[in-house]
C-alpha cells in the first residue's frame, strides 16, 4: 500500500472519529472469556523469578525478540547505548525460550569492525524482594558479537535457546489468536489502523477506560507479580498524556507481525519505534506508546496484548 493511500486512510478514520466526538469510543466491549483468564490468577508455585538481558552496544542498531515477542530494539541517533531489558513479559511458560538477536549497521549498508555489542542473560530468584536486590543475581549466558575484518554483512543474526522456570502459564495466544498472515494485507492494515486510531484518540481525549486497561494489563502483571495497587497506578499513568507532551501524527509506519503472526503492531518506518508517540517541544523529549493487538479467531474482535 502506498504512503499516499495510508495517509488518506488515516485522514478518513480521524475525520470519522472527530465527527462522532460526542460519543465515547467504546473500549468496554471486552471479551470476558479472554480477560477472565487473568482474573484471580493462582500461581503454580511460590517462586517469583525474573529474567533480564543487559545489552551494551556501540556503532550498531539491534532488534531483540524472545519467543517471537518484542524484547527491545535500538534505532535512535546515538552511537552508544546501554540498557537492561526485562524478559518476563515475553516468557509465557516454563521450559525452552527462543532468543533472537539481530544486529544492523549504524551507518552505511554493511556492518564494520567498529560494531560492538554484548548481551548478558541474568536471573534473579525473587524480583518482589526489593530490599535484598531481588535475592541476588546469576549470570546464565553471555555473548559478544564476533569481530569480522573481511565479511561485509548487511546484518548479523543470532538465534539461541535458554531455559526459564516461572510459576505461570499464559496460553491465550495459542488458544484464541488468529493467524493474521492468512488475511489480505490491505484488509489487515485497515483493521489494525482503525484500532490504532481509536487508541490514539482515546489517549488524546482522555477517554481511556480504566477498567478496560486493568482487565488487559492483568496478563502482564501476572508475569511480573504486580499487586492490584500497582495495576491501578499503571492504568492511571496510561489514561492520559503527561503535561507538556504533544501527540504526533500517525503516519510513516509499517505493519509488524509477531508470535507466529498472531500479534500485530505498527512501528515507525524510520526508527522502528512504536507508531503512536508524543514529544515535549520545550525539552525535545520523545515518548512512545507501544500497542500490540491480536484478533480473536472465533469472534473477529481485536484485543490488546
Amino acid at each position: 500500500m502506498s504512503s499516499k493511500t495510508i495517509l488518506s486512510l488515516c485522514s478518513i478514520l480521524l475525520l470519522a472519529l472527530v465527527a462522532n466526538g460526542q460519543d465515547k469510543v467504546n473500549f468496554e466491549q471486552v471479551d470476558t472469556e479472554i480477560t477472565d483468564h487473568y482474573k484471580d490468577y493462582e500461581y503454580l508455585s511460590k517462586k517469583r523469578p525474573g529474567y533480564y538481558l543487559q545489552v551494551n552496544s556501540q556503532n550498531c542498531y539491534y532488534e531483540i525478540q524472545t519467543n517471537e515477542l518484542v524484547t527491545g530494539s535500538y534505532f535512535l541517533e546515538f552511537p552508544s547505548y546501554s540498557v537492561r531489558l526485562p524478559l518476563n513479559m515475553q516468557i509465557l511458560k516454563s521450559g525452552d525460550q527462543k532468543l533472537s538477536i539481530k544486529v544492523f549497521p549504524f551507518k552505511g549498508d554493511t556492518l564494520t569492525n567498529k560494531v560492538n555489542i554484548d548481551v548478558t542473560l541474568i536471573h534473579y530468584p525473587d524480583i518482589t524482594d526489593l530490599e535484598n536486590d531481588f535475592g541476588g543475581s546469576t549470570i546464565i549466558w553471555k555473548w559478544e558479537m564476533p569481530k569480522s575484518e573481511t565479511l561485509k554483512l548487511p546484518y548479523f543474526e543470532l538465534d539461541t535457546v535458554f531455559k526459564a522456570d516461572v510459576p505461570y502459564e499464559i496460553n491465550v495466544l495459542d488458544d484464541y489468536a488468529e493467524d493474521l498472515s492468512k488475511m489480505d494485507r490491505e484488509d489487515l492494515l485497515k483493521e489494525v489502523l482503525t484500532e490504532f486510531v481509536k487508541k490514539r484518540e482515546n489517549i488524546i481525549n482522555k477517554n481511556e477506560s480504566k477498567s478496560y486497561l486493568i482487565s488487559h494489563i492483568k496478563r502482564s502483571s501476572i508475569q511480573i507479580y504486580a499487586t492490584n495497587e500497582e495495576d491501578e497506578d499503571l492504568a492511571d499513568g496510561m489514561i492520559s498524556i503527561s503535561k507538556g507532551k504533544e501527540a504526533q501524527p500517525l503516519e510513516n509506519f509499517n505493519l509488524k507481525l509477531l508470535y507466529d503472526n498472531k500479534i500485530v503492531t505498527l512501528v515507525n518506518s524510520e526508527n522502528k519505534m512504536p507508531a503512536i508517540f508524543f514529544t515535549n517541544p520545550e525539552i525535545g523529549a520523545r515518548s512512545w506508546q507501544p500497542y500490540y493487538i491480536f484478533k480473536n479467531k472465533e469472534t473477529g474482535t481485536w484485543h490488546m496484548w
Side-chain angles (χ1 to χ4, degrees):
M1 182 178 283
S2 70
S3 58
K4 287 185 178 179
T5 305
I6 291 174
L7 231 85
S8 298
L9 185 55
C10 274
S11 300
I12 292 169
L13 290 169
L14 286 168
L15 286 171
L17 285 171
V18 170
N20 293 286
Q22 299 299 320
D23 300 320
K24 204 171 187 178
V25 178
N26 190 356
F27 264 47
E28 295 287 355
Q29 294 177 347
V30 177
D31 190 331
T32 56
E33 185 179 1
I34 289 177
T35 55
D36 279 354
H37 280 259
Y38 313 139
K39 287 179 62 178
D40 304 318
Y41 190 84
E42 294 187 10
Y43 287 103
L44 303 175
S45 72
K46 294 183 178 180
K47 297 177 180 178
R48 298 294 183 265
Y51 295 84
Y52 292 79
L53 281 183
Q54 175 66 43
V55 184
N56 306 307
S57 63
Q58 286 185 318
N59 301 310
C60 64
Y61 296 134
Y62 63 79
E63 193 171 68
I64 300 175
Q65 292 185 3
T66 306
N67 297 320
E68 298 180 38
L69 297 168
V70 173
T71 295
S73 64
Y74 184 73
F75 289 92
L76 298 179
E77 60 268 31
F78 306 107
S80 298
Y81 191 63
S82 182
V83 66
R84 182 160 294 189
L85 302 169
L87 298 183
N88 275 43
M89 285 190 288
Q90 295 89 52
I91 296 174
L92 305 184
K93 59 184 177 181
S94 294
D96 289 344
Q97 317 296 322
K98 295 187 291 185
L99 181 66
S100 172
I101 302 170
K102 291 183 179 179
V103 185
F104 304 95
F106 181 69
K107 293 182 178 179
D109 298 324
T110 57
L111 296 168
T112 70
N113 58 11
K114 292 183 179 180
V115 169
N116 286 291
I117 180 168
D118 62 81
V119 181
T120 303
L121 176 60
I122 303 168
H123 168 260
Y124 292 95
D126 185 358
I127 60 172
T128 66
D129 187 2
L130 302 179
E131 293 182 358
N132 298 298
D133 192 27
F134 302 155
S137 63
T138 302
I139 293 176
I140 299 175
W141 172 80
K142 294 187 74 170
W143 173 80
E144 184 176 359
M145 182 173 162
K147 295 288 186 181
S148 175
E149 299 289 342
T150 56
L151 292 178
K152 299 294 184 181
L153 300 173
Y155 69 94
F156 182 90
E157 182 172 4
L158 172 74
D159 293 308
T160 189
V161 173
F162 69 94
K163 288 189 179 295
D165 183 17
V166 292
Y168 56 79
E169 288 189 8
I170 307 293
N171 298 312
V172 167
L173 292 175
D174 293 333
D175 291 343
Y176 292 102
E178 179 178 335
D179 181 352
L180 300 173
S181 66
K182 296 179 180 179
M183 288 184 63
D184 176 82
R185 192 77 173 183
E186 290 200 9
D187 289 341
L188 175 60
L189 177 58
K190 289 176 184 177
E191 292 191 27
V192 171
L193 187 53
T194 298
E195 298 301 313
F196 268 68
V197 168
K198 287 191 289 188
K199 176 69 172 180
R200 179 179 177 276
E201 290 299 297
N202 265 9
I203 296 173
I204 293 170
N205 296 323
K206 300 183 180 180
N207 283 342
E208 290 269 75
S209 163
K210 186 173 180 178
S211 61
Y212 170 88
L213 289 173
I214 289 177
S215 70
H216 282 75
I217 63 177
K218 281 292 182 185
R219 185 270 308 168
S220 59
S221 70
I222 288 169
Q223 293 166 283
I224 60 173
Y225 324 113
T227 64
N228 290 334
E229 291 76 13
E230 288 169 333
D231 288 344
E232 293 268 347
D233 290 342
L234 178 58
D236 286 336
M238 296 170 68
I239 283 174
S240 61
I241 307 173
S242 299
K243 186 178 180 180
K245 292 183 179 179
E246 296 181 358
Q248 299 304 299
L250 185 58
E251 59 187 18
N252 299 326
F253 52 76
N254 294 322
L255 273 174
K256 187 176 183 66
L257 294 172
L258 302 158
Y259 197 80
D260 290 329
N261 303 309
K262 292 180 178 179
I263 289 179
V264 65
T265 190
L266 297 178
V267 297
N268 184 282
S269 56
E270 294 180 359
N271 59 26
K272 318 299 182 187
M273 299 298 285
I276 299 176
F277 72 104
F278 308 88
T279 61
N280 186 322
E282 291 187 6
I283 60 176
R286 289 174 287 176
S287 61
W288 291 268
Q289 174 62 66
Y291 190 44
Y292 302 95
I293 56 177
F294 66 95
K295 190 174 187 179
N296 188 320
K297 60 187 175 184
E298 298 296 332
T299 65
T301 54
W302 286 97
H303 301 272
M304 183 170 74
W305 169 246

